Amino acid sequence: NGIHRSSCVFAGTQLLHSSNLDEGTAPGLSALFNLPPLPRETLANNETLPALFLALRTGSYSSRGEIIQSLLKSRMNMGVSNRQNEIDSIRLIGALALFAVGACLFLLLDGAGTGHKDSLFKRIVQCTRIGVASVPDLSSSLSSSAHECKIILRDESDAINSEAGALLESSKVDTIVFDKTGTLTADTQALTTIVYPPRQSNTVKSSHKFLSDIVLAGGHALVGMGDDETNLVGDPVDLAGLHYTRWNYNAHGKSASLPGKKVKLWQIRSFPFDPVKKMSSAIVLVQNNQGHFQLWVVAKGSPTQVRNLVLFGNELKGGATHSWYDEKVKRLAKLGYRSISLGALDVSGTDAAGILFPSGLPTPDDNKNTLNTRIQEARRHARESFVRGDIEAKSSDLFNMQQMMFVGFACFSAPLRSSSRRVIHELKSSSGVIMLTGDEPYSSHVIANKAGITNGKRICLLKTNGDSLIWEINKEVRSFTAETAKKVQQDIENKRAVLAVTGDAVSALLSGTLIDKTVERELLPQTSLVASASPNDKCMFVRWLQSSCKRNVLMCGDGVNDIAAMREATVSVAMLSGFGHEPDGAIDVEDVRRKDRLKRRRIGSNRQITSKSKLSSFDEAGIGNSFVASCARIQYDIIHGIRKLQRKDKGSPDHTTTFDVCVASIKDEIERHKDLKKGGSKAAKILAKEERLRKSLKAKATIELENSAFEGEEIQTGESCLASSFTLLRPCISGVEGILRTGVSAAACSISLYRKVALNCMLSCYNLATLYKNGLRYGKWMWQVELASILFTDNASFRASSTPRPRLVAGVRPSATLFQASEVISTTLQAIIHILTLTLAVNSGRKLEAKYPIKSDHRGFQIKWSNSAKSASAGSLLATLVGSSMSNSLHSDIDAPPQGFLKRSPFQPNYISNNVFIVSVFQNAVTALVNHTGRPFSVCFLESRPLCLSVSLSFLLCIVCIAETFPYLNSFIQLAPYPTPASRVELLRLLLLNVSMSFFAEYFNTFFLRHDIWKERNKSVCPTLCNDSINTAQSAAEEEETLLFEECQQNSIIVSFICFLMFHFSIQILKQPTKVEAL
């Protein structure tokens, strides 16, 4: 949870041996074999004794870290299904199994009017096939959906998923919590200035400048990496402070020096930043310009924590000590600075100096070896005698009860990322956004205001004052009462103010020790900013949002302080580090990158651009025999010849005009083609030249790829990546918005997929039961045609349903489960409509069979026992069940004709098979059309050209088969010609009734049970898009909406043309003559 950060080794560490001992610091591995044994018994009784350890597999090098690293370098993603998905799958399989049992009972209990009886064994085989058809192929369907979501998430959102089911969980998110530093702002810190206390003389001011350098150059926990002593890693604040002082730090000797001067310091004991105490400290030995040595205790940390340790003397003007300090902290915070308080104490004459240096402090006369020996002894004494509490206490006996002197404020700045404000604006339109940070309230409010979280509203800060809560509003401090809380709540509801709470106030409110539960339930949920929060405060706040407020929280952070809150959140997103400094007011690079990716999508006016961009690099370079390569060679020769003419080159005396150059270039290209056809040495030279050019292009592409890969090596997986559901690959929170959009489309696609699978399985069971009941089956190519139609339509539907909308819609989310009332009612109504339509079609075919019988010796398939005893084998039965011809190979009698265990007669076209086939193909297309989610979760029907073509062409195929416009097509599918126009009209009427009733069933179900979705689907988007298209500075989301609108218009023309063809063929149904003589 981040509390024991100082005792852990984190992600990205390259340390092999870590120890507080300074003896044997040789960089070689030989020092490892001389390590003393770990004193286990002593450690159990003395927690302050340092431990030696080897950091072999921690952080990014652990098993989970390796997963993150592999995800960064590959296109792999974790599974999409979550727990609710698995429960729905089990329930759906059970429901379909019950339906299959009903279909089998329908088959076994023959009706009186069928006139067809079969043996019990044959019925058992048929029931087995019905049972197989009832089992949904959820694995392949979900894998298709997962594949589409993976491509979109990785390529479009620049994010990777490291936790199964997190993508579907992200669709439920209604509250988004952001860390500040490294998330909304850049991941680097820059020390801008140091604010010193008001002084009386320049001498005192210069002494404080020297002390601030000592605190920043000595009070840190930086370590060196590799052989380069200047390659330092550690806290960004420590790195920024050391860089500001311009001191050189030697990590091997733990010393720092100022170039050009004799000033030098040595770290005797250092304690890294503690996220709970919000402070770091150290004991340093300083040598000044005169060569004299002093022993100092230095500390830096949060102004609130350091305020209780430092002593304010008479140097402050007017004696305004604490009031000046508090006012300066607020003023710096309102300017947007992250202020760190610096404190120092000279302990040269205290008991601490005697403990560390028993024989006195070093003198200028000590040589280098003596000085190093004394410093090593002092470090050993410090480890034995000093603990962190001694240094960071307000007063200690070791320092003769003296207090630190306040040195100044170090003002750090981290610029807001260029895309943060745009992303926050997009997210606030659909979800609540909260900043949760450990920084000071007022500096955090400045960043929150810039990011658009608070939008410049008045801040009402709730914080603790001892054991009580107080309000701080417009520089006015008020006591916490119920009346004040109600007034603040009214201002927040009227959007005149925002609520900010400190971390300790959150703990006090949630613990229930300071206020009643009504304030917790009514006031705290409206928080926009939580500042000065410890890791425990962050964890408690996120847990409270989920448990008490019933919210689904997404937590986005970058450091170890955020891990506890991230593990409590519904979905967690981690930021990578190492992208460097980003200046204020920079161009929104992420929005530009999204626009570039958008240009590669074949939608709207981009289709012409993307078709041109598909040219091969070899063709563009004039390599090969394609038309494009020939044009490229001619163009190159023309340009080269014109340049020679401009230079009046003597090498081309025959080419006096530009026209001559063009003609010569075309002739050269013709001669080239002739030489290649003839072969010989000329053709070999041409091919050898092209091969050299091809290798040169490949080598250039390889170098560019290696350079891009090398540039990415500096990017490190942050500490929070090991506990997150998603990891963003770019220095921007725009991936969060992309994750939510992809999650919403994935959840809607999952529900749509379940509905379509359920309907298809139920219709398959009923189709088989109907055919078997009448002793019929499909022809040889019927099932292949129907399967091709299903695959084409389902693939287009998967792609369209997985493609998210450009923007999130506020308050509208897909159903959480398939068994929600709206989903169950819609699926049931559609199933009833489809089954009734199919039943009417079968009855119509049965009447045609009775009135216009088709003469045939055999109909359907038969089960007959073979005369040969060898043929009645288990292998023959198995081969027959799987539809294989293997049974013929099991007969050893050559003279006898081979017969299988089940004997099939040739298929004879009939009206019932006709109707079942046409209705099934039509219903598959209707299922894809009606159950496509579309707006507001994914692209709609007219915005997806593959879906428009697949559904429209399936409809057209059914109409053409009924109209019998192309007899060869009907003969190929083995459809029987309909005897009368009335029979074709009746089937056409059933198809129109099926699609209209299915559409209205879904329409009214959505209107009454999911009115929020119905409203979004029926909103007019044309005026908005037309107005936005006029703007020259459109965002990527606006451009995508414009392109989708153009795509919708283009697809409308295509669908209208196909509908015109369907109408034309429908008219022909009534005009065709009766074909009774064909029977």
Side-chain angles (χ1 to χ4, degrees), residues 27-186:
L29 294 177
S30 59
L32 297 178
F33 299 99
N34 300 323
L35 295 177
L38 188 65
R40 298 179 183 273
E41 297 180 357
T42 309
L43 281 176
N45 300 324
N46 188 356
E47 298 179 355
T48 62
L49 187 65
L52 303 173
F53 63 90
L54 299 179
L56 297 180
R57 297 181 65 82
T58 63
S60 294
Y61 302 98
S62 62
S63 58
R64 184 173 176 85
E66 289 176 354
I67 295 176
I68 299 294
Q69 293 286 354
S70 63
L71 288 174
L72 289 173
K73 299 176 182 178
S74 69
R75 302 173 70 87
M76 182 182 70
N77 270 266
M78 305 296 288
V80 176
S81 298
N82 58 0
R83 180 176 176 81
Q84 186 61 50
N85 239 202
E86 297 169 356
I87 295 174
D88 287 349
S89 300
I90 296 174
R91 291 177 177 175
L92 179 60
I93 292 174
L96 293 178
L98 292 177
F99 186 86
V101 171
C104 293
L105 292 176
F106 170 75
L107 176 63
L108 293 174
L109 301 177
D110 291 336
T114 60
H116 184 82
K117 296 292 183 181
D118 288 310
S119 64
L120 179 62
F121 179 77
K122 178 179 177 180
R123 290 304 192 203
I124 293 176
V125 174
Q126 294 170 348
C127 291
T128 303
R129 292 181 174 178
I130 292 175
V132 172
S134 69
V135 178
D137 190 10
L138 292 176
S139 58
S140 61
S141 301
L142 288 175
S143 64
S144 301
S145 176
H147 178 70
E148 294 298 328
C149 294
K150 174 196 71 173
I151 294 176
I152 295 171
L153 187 66
R154 178 64 176 84
D155 296 341
E156 301 296 331
S157 303
D158 290 316
I160 54 175
N161 180 13
S162 57
E163 183 177 316
L167 190 59
L168 290 182
E169 292 295 329
S170 65
S171 65
K172 307 174 185 177
V173 169
D174 52 19
T175 302
I176 305 170
V177 179
F178 286 106
D179 181 37
K180 181 176 81 73
T181 306
T183 304
L184 295 176
T185 63

Side-chain angles (χ1 to χ4, degrees), residues 725-802:
S725 310
F726 297 91
T727 300
L728 303 182
L729 306 181
R730 295 288 302 169
C732 169
I733 61 171
S734 61
V736 174
E737 192 249 354
I739 289 172
L740 294 182
R741 290 189 296 111
T742 307
V744 168
S745 64
C749 178
S750 175
I751 297 297
S752 174
L753 185 148
Y754 278 123
R755 291 172 60 173
K756 288 182 284 189
V757 166
L759 289 172
N760 289 335
C761 288
M762 286 189 289
L763 293 178
S764 297
C765 293
Y766 187 75
N767 291 351
L768 290 175
T770 302
L771 290 173
Y772 292 156
K773 192 177 184 68
N774 292 275
L776 303 173
R777 60 186 171 90
Y778 267 2
K780 180 180 179 180
W781 296 105
M782 284 184 178
W783 171 244
Q784 279 75 6
V785 173
E786 183 177 345
L787 180 62
S789 173
I790 293 174
L791 292 178
F792 185 29
T793 305
D794 287 350
N795 184 44
S797 179
F798 286 149
R799 289 190 176 185
S801 299
S802 302

Side-chain angles (χ1 to χ4, degrees), residues 704-1007:
E704 291 177 354
L705 182 62
E706 291 177 352
N707 290 338
S708 63
F710 177 77
E711 291 175 359
E713 287 180 357
E714 298 298 327
I715 308 303
Q716 299 289 338
T717 52
E719 297 156 353
S720 60
C721 295
L722 306 179
S724 64
S725 310
F726 297 91
T727 300
L728 303 182
L729 306 181
R730 295 288 302 169
C732 169
I733 61 171
S734 61
V736 174
E737 192 249 354
I739 289 172
L740 294 182
R741 290 189 296 111
T742 307
V744 168
S745 64
C749 178
S750 175
I751 297 297
S752 174
L753 185 148
Y754 278 123
R755 291 172 60 173
K756 288 182 284 189
V757 166
L759 289 172
N760 289 335
C761 288
M762 286 189 289
L763 293 178
S764 297
C765 293
Y766 187 75
N767 291 351
L768 290 175
T770 302
L771 290 173
Y772 292 156
K773 192 177 184 68
N774 292 275
L776 303 173
R777 60 186 171 90
Y778 267 2
K780 180 180 179 180
W781 296 105
M782 284 184 178
W783 171 244
Q784 279 75 6
V785 173
E786 183 177 345
L787 180 62
S789 173
I790 293 174
L791 292 178
F792 185 29
T793 305
D794 287 350
N795 184 44
S797 179
F798 286 149
R799 289 190 176 185
S801 299
S802 302
T803 305
R805 300 294 304 174
R807 285 190 172 100
L808 287 169
V809 179
V812 183
R813 292 294 182 269
S815 300
T817 173
L818 174 65
F819 293 90
Q820 194 168 324
S822 58
E823 306 298 333
V824 173
I825 293 175
S826 177
T827 307
T828 305
L829 289 176
Q830 291 182 56
I832 294 173
I833 293 170
H834 292 326
I835 292 174
L836 287 177
T837 303
L838 188 59
T839 303
L840 294 175
V842 170
N843 292 336
S844 175
R846 188 180 292 117
K847 291 179 181 179
L848 290 176
E849 290 278 350
K851 190 173 182 179
Y852 305 101
I854 300 176
K855 296 179 181 181
S856 172
D857 295 334
H858 298 283
R859 184 175 63 183
F861 66 85
Q862 304 174 9
I863 301 179
K864 291 186 177 181
W865 292 98
S866 175
N867 295 329
S868 174
K870 294 181 180 180
S871 64
S873 61
S876 177
L877 175 61
L878 179 62
T880 304
L881 289 177
V882 299
S884 173
S885 60
M886 183 179 64
S887 59
N888 294 335
S889 64
L890 299 176
H891 297 279
S892 59
D893 191 355
I894 302 177
D895 298 331
Q899 293 181 350
F901 188 80
L902 297 177
K903 182 180 178 181
R904 284 178 178 265
S905 61
F907 173 77
Q908 295 293 332
N910 57 87
Y911 304 126
I912 297 179
S913 297
N914 278 16
N915 290 359
V916 171
F917 167 76
I918 293 175
V919 172
S920 298
V921 173
F922 192 84
Q923 287 178 345
N924 287 326
V926 171
T927 301
L929 173 63
V930 174
N931 293 282
H932 177 65
T933 54
R935 289 191 300 169
F937 308 127
S938 59
V939 295
C940 66
F941 173 74
L942 289 176
E943 293 170 345
S944 172
R945 181 163 298 182
L947 185 58
C948 290
L949 291 176
S950 61
V951 173
S952 302
L953 292 178
S954 296
F955 288 164
L956 182 61
L957 174 65
C958 297
I959 301 299
V960 169
C961 290
I962 297 174
E964 300 177 2
T965 307
F966 304 102
Y968 176 77
L969 176 62
N970 287 45
S971 177
F972 174 77
I973 303 177
Q974 294 179 299
L975 297 175
Y978 286 97
T980 62
S983 60
R984 294 190 290 270
V985 172
E986 183 179 1
L987 183 57
L988 180 61
R989 187 187 301 115
L990 287 176
L991 297 184
L992 295 178
L993 187 64
N994 181 266
V995 65
S996 59
M997 291 182 64
S998 300
F999 174 79
F1000 283 112
E1002 171 66 16
Y1003 182 86
F1004 288 111
N1005 177 75
T1006 307
F1007 178 79

Side-chain angles (χ1 to χ4, degrees), residues 295 346-353 361 400 402:
L295 189 65
D346 186 1
V347 295
S348 302
T350 63
D351 296 340
L361 295 177
N400 298 347
Q402 298 183 22

Side-chain angles (χ1 to χ4, degrees), residues 633-679:
R633 285 190 293 268
I634 294 173
Q635 182 181 5
Y636 174 78
D637 292 340
I638 292 174
I639 294 174
H640 188 66
I642 292 175
R643 288 177 179 174
K644 284 186 176 181
L645 288 177
Q646 293 175 350
R647 296 196 305 265
K648 298 181 179 181
D649 195 341
K650 296 181 180 181
S652 57
D654 298 334
H655 303 161
T656 57
T657 62
T658 304
F659 178 76
D660 294 337
V661 173
C662 296
V663 172
S665 301
I666 296 174
K667 287 182 178 180
D668 291 341
E669 183 62 25
I670 295 174
E671 290 294 329
R672 178 186 179 279
H673 282 280
K674 290 181 179 180
D675 292 338
L676 286 176
K677 288 183 179 180
K678 291 180 181 179

